Amino acid sequence: MVEEGRALFLQIAESVEDAIIDGSLDEESQAPSTNELAAFHRINPATAAKGVTMLVDKGVLYKRRGIGMFVAPGARERLLDERRTAFADRYVEPLLAEARKLGLGPADLTALINDRAAVTEP
């Protein structure tokens, strides 16, 4: 799972976010501890703790003293909003810029996407 050239704590945080988004970690459920994350990914616990701290700072996880870390209410929707915005910035904006260069409007793009999606769907 480890991607070379990318900070491990970011990858740990993203793996926890992915679990929240796909529903394998429900809101108000207990998140893996830093020791569990460190053991699973075979990394230093301080690195795992840095990723968990980042999620706490974002309001995705919260701490129950003496019990552990838990998924915050509304975390899934916040993460989906954040990822959708990043998707639009990373993919949709460049697509629209290139489409404008080619003289394609939103309706043309919609038709192209629907055509391509129909070809790739079983």
Side-chain angles (χ1 to χ4, degrees):
M1 171 224 129
V2 176
E3 294 175 37
E4 293 296 324
R6 197 158 164 252
L8 286 172
F9 77 94
L10 291 175
Q11 294 179 52
I12 297 300
E14 189 173 285
S15 72
V16 173
E17 288 180 351
D18 288 344
I20 294 168
I21 287 172
D22 73 16
S24 55
L25 260 180
D26 289 327
E27 292 179 357
E28 297 290 346
S29 68
Q30 189 165 12
S33 70
T34 55
N35 286 335
E36 290 170 333
L37 290 168
F40 181 79
H41 296 287
R42 298 178 185 206
I43 59 172
N44 186 315
T47 302
K50 191 172 179 181
V52 169
T53 298
M54 188 179 110
L55 294 174
V56 170
D57 292 345
K58 286 175 67 176
V60 172
L61 298 179
Y62 68 96
K63 185 175 186 174
R64 286 189 190 161
R65 193 174 192 88
I67 300 174
M69 305 302 287
F70 289 80
V71 178
R76 184 174 187 274
E77 198 56 42
R78 277 197 307 278
L79 290 170
L80 283 171
D81 286 345
E82 181 182 298
R83 296 256 180 119
R84 287 174 181 146
T85 299
F87 177 82
D89 292 344
R90 179 184 248 176
Y91 300 107
V92 177
E93 287 298 329
L95 174 71
L96 289 170
E98 185 65 20
R100 279 186 219 104
K101 289 180 193 172
L102 299 174
L104 298 171
D108 300 316
L109 283 176
T110 301
L112 283 171
I113 291 169
N114 286 336
D115 288 348
R116 294 296 173 117
V119 170
T120 57
E121 289 178 4

